[in-house]
Amino acid sequence: MANNNVVGELKSNKKVILKNYANGFPKVSDMEIVSTETVQLKVAEGSEAVLLKNLYLSCDPFLRYRMSKHEDAGYVPDFVPGSLINGFGVGKVLDSGHPDFKVGDYVWGITGWEEYSLVTSTETLFKIKDTDIPLSYYTGLLGMPGVTAYAGFYKVCSPKKGETVFVSAASGAVGQLVGQFAKLMGCYVVGSAGSDEKVNLLKKKFGFDEAFNYKKEKDLNAALKRCFPEGIDIYFENVGGAMLDAVLLNMRNHGRIAACGMISQYNLDKPEGVHNLMFVVTKRLRIEGFLAFDYFPIYDQFFQKTVPYIKEGKITYVEDVVEGLENAPAALIGLFSGRNVGKQVVVVARE
């Protein structure tokens, strides 16, 4: 990949900022593209910062949480209107004052939604060691969603061969990988998704044993009983709400629920209640919430396990790629209507 940037030169720097706090369902107009700023492609003398040219940005549901104002400090800070949106991405190092990152290295981690980013919190950056795999995969399969799937399934759920596993939002960035990990372990795996196209993907591309379109099911409890006549051992929770309520009815004794996210609740002013929590007691269930950030220290363990699966064709991955930083706001909003098929990636540049 050619490097057309000269260290020290001034460049215009297009970026995405939060224009207004989002209320209810977020809108593209809550964000704004700004291109008036210039950036010098150089790290200040004595600084350990890293200057990146951003290549790929990751659209992740947790960014919606950051687009609203919260009275209490949350697990990630809120964006402030007028400020830059940031999240996970892949970039190329143009200049560096940090000994661990050299000019020309590729990295993934927290970066700005802009063309060039000066990263001062380098503890959030990981050097990309294997560039034979598509760099965009480090926004998903080999990035934060991959760590999420690995930690949630193997560490939180403690799976055993032959167990029954249900994954909601199963065709998304995390769910598609959880299902494949479960199949590789010898589990029976069912996923739910929001379109027939995605259901087909789960069964034919990712090898799920069964899948259903939750939008077409009048009774989620009946759908789960049909797929799991003897109950569910492990539920990988991505949606919350009515799905979680139905799952609690269908869990087996001593089942485990890894609470990864609850995307059905993010745009509601008042979250829905869960009515079947008594089954947590009677079935002796374990529900554990977790964040990928807590498991970044075991990234190398995850990487060593997953890369051979990719190279041997035992794990496959689907991306939904959008070209251009100016299209990033619409790509992010599309997550909440299920418009994307697979991991949503925004291409900022391909060099």
Side-chain angles (χ1 to χ4, degrees), residues 167-227:
V167 186
S168 55
S171 68
V174 175
Q176 57 178 285
L177 189 52
V178 173
Q180 291 178 87
F181 280 148
K183 284 304 298 175
L184 286 165
M185 182 156 233
C187 296
Y188 170 80
V189 186
V190 177
S192 64
S195 73
D196 291 344
E197 177 190 8
K198 292 177 182 179
V199 166
N200 193 48
L201 197 64
L202 292 175
K203 294 198 280 191
K204 296 192 174 172
K205 180 90 172 175
F206 301 132
F208 281 59
D209 295 289
E210 192 52 74
F212 62 88
N213 180 347
Y214 70 89
K215 292 179 180 176
K216 286 188 167 181
E217 299 290 343
K218 291 187 174 68
D219 184 339
L220 292 173
N221 178 33
L224 291 170
K225 279 188 166 39
R226 182 178 75 236
C227 296

Side-chain angles (χ1 to χ4, degrees), residues 3-16 34 37-42 50-55 57 84-86 90-95 110-119 325 348-349 351:
N3 182 7
N4 298 321
N5 302 109
V6 179
V7 172
E9 73 175 309
L10 285 172
K11 282 274 192 177
S12 62
N13 189 27
K14 189 189 300 178
K15 54 176 58 183
V16 182
V34 182
E37 185 186 276
T38 58
V39 62
Q40 186 174 25
L41 302 185
K42 186 167 178 58
V50 175
L51 180 71
L52 299 181
K53 178 173 186 177
N54 291 315
L55 304 179
L57 298 177
L84 177 70
I85 289 177
N86 62 32
V90 171
K92 186 175 185 178
V93 177
L94 296 182
D95 194 22
I110 297 289
T111 188
W113 278 34
E114 55 188 347
E115 292 173 293
Y116 302 97
S117 290
L118 185 69
V119 179
L325 183 63
V348 182
E351 66 168 66

Side-chain angles (χ1 to χ4, degrees), residues 229-294:
E230 296 181 4
I232 301 165
D233 291 305
I234 289 172
Y235 173 41
F236 200 97
E237 164 68 301
N238 287 312
V239 302
M243 185 66 82
L244 175 58
D245 242 352
V247 166
L248 289 170
L249 293 171
N250 288 278
M251 292 296 293
R252 298 181 69 181
N253 289 345
H254 305 289
R256 287 88 70 206
I257 298 174
C260 172
M262 298 193 179
I263 198 170
S264 73
Q265 305 301 296
Y266 296 166
N267 299 317
L268 303 180
D269 292 331
K270 185 178 180 183
E272 295 171 329
V274 178
H275 306 282
N276 294 322
L277 280 173
M278 187 60 191
F279 286 104
V280 175
V281 178
T282 59
K283 296 183 178 187
R284 287 83 86 202
L285 304 178
R286 179 164 61 83
I287 303 178
E288 183 176 342
F290 71 101
L291 297 175
F293 306 101
D294 297 334

Side-chain angles (χ1 to χ4, degrees), residues 295-335:
Y295 292 92
F296 282 166
I298 63 166
Y299 180 78
D300 283 345
Q301 181 188 128
F302 152 73
F303 188 82
Q304 296 300 328
K305 187 181 186 81
T306 308
V307 168
Y309 284 149
I310 298 169
K311 293 188 173 179
E312 293 163 17
K314 292 179 179 176
I315 280 180
T316 186
Y317 204 64
V318 170
E319 297 178 310
D320 192 319
V321 179
V322 168
E323 297 278 347
L325 183 63
E326 65 279 4
N327 294 313
L332 176 60
I333 300 306
L335 293 179

Side-chain angles (χ1 to χ4, degrees), residues 134-156:
L135 289 174
S136 60
Y137 275 25
Y138 290 89
T139 66
L141 174 53
L142 290 173
M144 182 274 289
V147 175
T148 303
Y150 178 84
F153 182 65
Y154 290 109
K155 304 299 180 182
V156 177

